[in-house]
């Protein structure tokens, strides 16, 4: 148990569906992250929120829409996805996103949502 | 961008054996973490180790920042150690954590 929970753990959706992934951290952290892990590829950072503000968007298609209503919750809204979007989506949190880089940036990951797009 | 290479890509061990996993990186880093991804996909943070040596039970890690590599040691391996071990680095604050492709470890009884 890392203190980061994700729901649902598994999701199957059609290309016309709209769904949302939820992440919640119970660690008192201020930074939250979405990662995508596709088969045979390194983890890819998608979005970063620091103190509820989005600070990074790594060229993610607009069919993925993040939302961070507070420092403890992070959502990823999905719509009109493609089969190649099937992957494991991991949420992580860290104490903060520091400009200097420090132990405060140690990231703790949730269990992930395994998404299949048909 | 920074390159992160892990070796070996795959490793099969008999239970009780020791192993060393290596992570090479191409630039100076501010942050280096080792993770274990279990068969269910969950990533567990093992070490934050941008330099020096740390130990946690049967696991230890050493990073030689000047030579741009890190090693993860697993002693007396157990079947529950199976999974993929990732090294991830960050060259400066506010830059993405860059992951290697991982080492897939299988420990057999």
């Amino acid at each position: 148990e890392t203190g980061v929970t994700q729901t649902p753990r598994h999701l199957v959706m059609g290309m016309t569906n709209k769904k949302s992934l939820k992440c919640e951290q119970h660690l008192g952290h201020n930074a939250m992250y979405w990662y995508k892990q596709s088969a045979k590829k390194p983890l890819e950072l998608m979005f970063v929120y620091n103190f509820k503000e989005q600070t990074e968007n790594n060229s993610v298609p607009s069919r993925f829409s993040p939302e961070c209503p507070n420092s403890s919750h992070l959502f990823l809204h999905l719509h009109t996805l493609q089969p190649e979007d099937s992957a494991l989506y991991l949420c992580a949190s860290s104490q903060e996103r520091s400009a200097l880089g420090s132990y405060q940036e140690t990231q703790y990951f949730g269990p992930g949502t395994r998404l299949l797009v048909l | 961008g920074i390159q992160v290479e892990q070796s070996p890509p795959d490793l099969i061990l008999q239970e009780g054996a020791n192993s060393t996993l290596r992570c090479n990186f191409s630039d100076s880093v501010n942050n280096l973490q080792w993770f274990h991804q279990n068969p269910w996909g969950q990533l567990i943070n093992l070490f934050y180790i941008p330099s020096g040596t740390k130990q946690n039970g049967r696991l230890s890690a050493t990073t030689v920042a000047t030579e741009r590599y890190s090693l993860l040691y697993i002693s007396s391996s157990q079947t529950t150690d199976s999974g993929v071990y990732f090294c991830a680095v960050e060259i400066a604050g506010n830059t993405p954590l860059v992951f290697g492709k991982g080492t897939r470890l299988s420990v057999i009884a």
Side-chain angles (χ1 to χ4, degrees):
Chain A
E1 185 66 40
T2 63
V4 182
T5 59
Q6 288 185 243
T7 55
R9 295 293 306 275
H10 301 270
L11 180 62
V12 180
M13 59 186 289
M15 289 189 284
T16 59
N17 292 157
K18 288 185 180 181
K19 296 287 184 183
S20 295
L21 309 185
K22 179 181 176 182
C23 175
E24 184 174 0
Q25 57 94 2
H26 312 276
L27 301 169
H29 289 166
N30 294 302
M32 297 187 77
Y33 311 76
W34 278 118
Y35 286 86
K36 176 183 178 182
Q37 186 178 24
S38 304
K40 300 182 180 179
K41 292 175 72 174
L43 271 79
E44 304 168 64
L45 179 66
M46 301 174 71
F47 302 103
V48 181
Y49 278 82
N50 200 30
F51 293 92
K52 300 187 293 179
E53 298 295 322
Q54 184 176 320
T55 57
E56 292 174 48
N57 174 342
N58 287 322
S59 303
V60 180
S62 59
R63 58 186 183 269
F64 295 92
S65 173
E67 179 190 0
C68 188
N70 55 62
S71 293
S72 299
H73 293 85
L74 184 65
F75 295 90
L76 187 63
H77 303 300
L78 315 171
H79 62 99
T80 59
L81 294 192
Q82 305 298 310
E84 59 265 28
D85 296 322
S86 299
L88 179 68
Y89 289 85
L90 290 157
C91 172
S93 72
S94 66
Q95 189 169 337
E96 66 180 74
R97 190 75 167 150
S98 167
L100 298 176
S102 68
Y103 182 76
Q104 294 167 319
E105 294 206 39
T106 302
Q107 295 184 25
Y108 297 85
F109 282 75
T113 294
R114 193 164 294 280
L115 173 67
L116 177 62
V117 181
L118 301 176
Chain B
I2 189 169
Q3 304 297 313
V4 182
E5 295 182 1
Q6 291 186 243
S7 59
D10 296 280
L11 183 61
I12 299 175
L13 292 178
Q14 197 73 36
E15 197 171 27
N18 303 328
S19 63
T20 301
L21 282 55
R22 187 177 180 102
C23 173
N24 292 335
F25 43 94
S26 60
D27 206 341
S28 300
V29 299
N30 271 1
N31 181 4
L32 187 148
Q33 291 181 244
W34 281 99
F35 295 91
H36 174 221
Q37 187 170 40
N38 63 25
W40 298 271
Q42 186 166 11
L43 270 175
I44 305 296
N45 177 55
L46 298 176
F47 293 103
Y48 168 83
I49 187 166
S51 64
T53 297
K54 288 187 179 179
Q55 180 153 7
N56 184 3
R58 296 183 294 104
L59 302 180
S60 64
T62 295
T63 298
V64 183
T66 53
E67 297 186 24
R68 299 182 183 169
Y69 72 89
S70 183
L71 302 174
L72 178 69
Y73 305 97
I74 305 174
S75 63
S76 304
S77 58
Q78 300 176 0
T79 55
T80 51
D81 296 334
S82 297
V84 183
Y85 290 81
F86 289 99
C87 166
V89 303
E90 184 174 347
I91 56 174
N94 280 335
T95 59
L97 202 60
V98 178
F99 283 76
K101 293 185 177 180
T103 292
R104 183 173 298 277
L105 174 65
S106 299
V107 181
I108 54 178

